Amino acid sequence: MLAGMDELPEPPWLDEEERATWFAVTSLVTRLPAALDAQLQRDAGLSHFEYQVMAGLSMALDRTLRMSVLADFVEGSLPRLSQVVSRLERRGMVARRPDPADGRFTLATLTEGGWKTVVATAPGHVAEVRRLVLDPLTKAQQRQLRAIGERIAVAVDPQRPSPATVFSEIEAPPSPS
Amino acid sequence: MLAGMDELPEPPWLDEEERATWFAVTSLVTRLPAALDAQLQRDAGLSHFEYQVMAGLSMALDRTLRMSVLADFVEGSLPRLSQVVSRLERRGMVARRPDPADGRFTLATLTEGGWKTVVATAPGHVAEVRRLVLDPLTKAQQRQLRAIGERIAVAVDPQRPSPATVFSEIEAPPSPS
DNA sequence: AAAGATTGAACATTCAATCTTC
DNA sequence: GAAGATTGAATGTTCAATCTTT
């Protein structure tokens, strides 16, 4: 694949500095999600993914979104979203119906009960996000983290739409999260 | 819980900057693990967690570690580790036996075949880590990321041993307690 | 009795196959 | 036939209960 190319040879192993950076990253991506799940599970009986789904809907116009747009927003696969929304539907949090404009789409709507759950849950979740992520960092570090995340995101998936793009699909008045 | 305390009132919602930071974090913690899993699954038929387990053992003295120490190192629960090691054992990658020094402990050892798998897999994995995380960042950003990760780690779990501590357990001979 | 580890059942996730609508 | 979504089976994870050794 790169025969004949004239590249900087990258060392096959990580040096001590790089390993420390890498360790920080793995630790972050394993422990932070676990901590967020724990808080939401404890206080609201929701996984972080379920909460993201409901929060996404709560920000949308008419609290309604097509499944595929919602899947994009929560960065999950459509099959996964479908399973999770089925569970949320059984619990009365979300309702689904075919899109009248095009029957191939499915519209998911946050019910009144789902809305109340989000409204009741959001402050505690936001507080936890502040406590674990925002408060421990200086403003400068928050900016750095944004830039770093953006660079890694591009490397992981160059095709990926920017946050702003995805977010605009959602439209946004009343916004928990 | 905090009646009468004199605190800075924290706004219940995130402002635009904070939300951007938060979005970068959630995106990072959901997409990066998926990308790493994909590479390892494709090239070696291993999940990232399985790889971490085997890599941890490969660095240890005699390629052997007590299950509880290994669980600490890979930041997973003991039940989870036990299930995963059972699978790896069935595949001939790892062997278990009671610790002769104290029968309550179980010693897990990387087999010759497991070692060969790690040796064959590591370069590709390291290359992927470079490609997705290290290469897109400047040296300064790598330092920043380390500092940021450390701050968040402390917030998530103040009791948690520092990376250096956990790592030293790995390299140190099993201390007869 | 406590520490370390394992097990079994409930639950969640993944992926290919399928279904429906355009 | 293609796009959007769902389902079913296999796989993985979680958690409480259990077992063994000290």
Side-chain angles (χ1 to χ4, degrees), chain A residues 35-100:
Chain A
L36 293 169
D37 269 330
Q39 181 267 323
L40 284 167
Q41 199 65 57
R42 180 166 40 73
D43 296 351
L46 294 171
S47 70
H48 185 227
F49 189 77
E50 289 169 332
Y51 176 80
Q52 281 182 303
V53 166
M54 293 174 61
L57 290 175
S58 78
M59 290 182 284
L61 210 68
D62 289 327
R63 301 174 195 166
T64 297
L65 241 30
R66 290 175 171 174
M67 290 291 284
S68 41
V69 174
L70 184 53
D72 236 40
F73 179 71
V74 299
E75 313 197 72
S77 67
L78 207 34
R80 182 185 183 189
L81 179 64
S82 188
Q83 303 268 21
V84 168
V85 168
S86 293
R87 274 178 340 241
L88 291 175
E89 201 168 30
R90 264 177 248 132
R91 293 165 67 178
M93 301 287 188
V94 174
R96 276 184 294 195
R97 66 182 190 288
D99 188 336

Side-chain angles (χ1 to χ4, degrees), chain B residues 99-117:
Chain B
D99 188 337
D102 181 336
R104 287 175 299 183
F105 294 93
T106 299
L107 298 178
T109 300
L110 196 64
T111 63
E112 191 57 29
W115 171 260
K116 281 181 185 159
T117 298

Side-chain angles (χ1 to χ4, degrees), chain B residues 122-157:
Chain B
H125 179 59
V126 170
E128 188 74 347
V129 168
R130 286 192 181 286
R131 188 176 76 80
L132 298 181
V133 178
L134 265 13
D135 290 348
L137 304 181
T138 65
K139 283 287 172 200
Q141 285 179 317
Q142 293 180 24
R143 280 190 299 275
Q144 292 164 6
L145 180 52
R146 225 148 61 222
I148 287 168
E150 190 50 41
R151 294 244 188 152
I152 294 177
V154 169
V156 167
D157 181 3

Side-chain angles (χ1 to χ4, degrees), chain A residues 86-164:
Chain A
S86 293
R87 274 178 340 241
L88 291 175
E89 201 168 30
R90 264 177 248 132
R91 293 165 67 178
M93 301 287 188
V94 174
R96 276 184 294 195
R97 66 182 190 288
D99 188 336
D102 181 337
R104 287 174 300 183
F105 293 94
T106 298
L107 297 178
T109 300
L110 196 64
T111 63
E112 192 56 31
W115 171 261
K116 282 182 183 154
T117 298
V118 172
V119 168
T121 305
H125 178 59
V126 170
E128 188 74 347
V129 169
R130 286 194 182 283
R131 188 176 76 79
L132 298 181
V133 178
L134 266 12
D135 290 347
L137 305 181
T138 65
K139 283 287 173 201
Q141 284 179 317
Q142 293 181 23
R143 278 191 299 275
Q144 292 165 6
L145 180 51
R146 225 147 62 222
I148 288 167
E150 189 51 41
R151 292 240 189 159
I152 295 177
V154 169
V156 167
D157 181 5
Q159 260 68 60
R160 161 183 176 264
S162 82

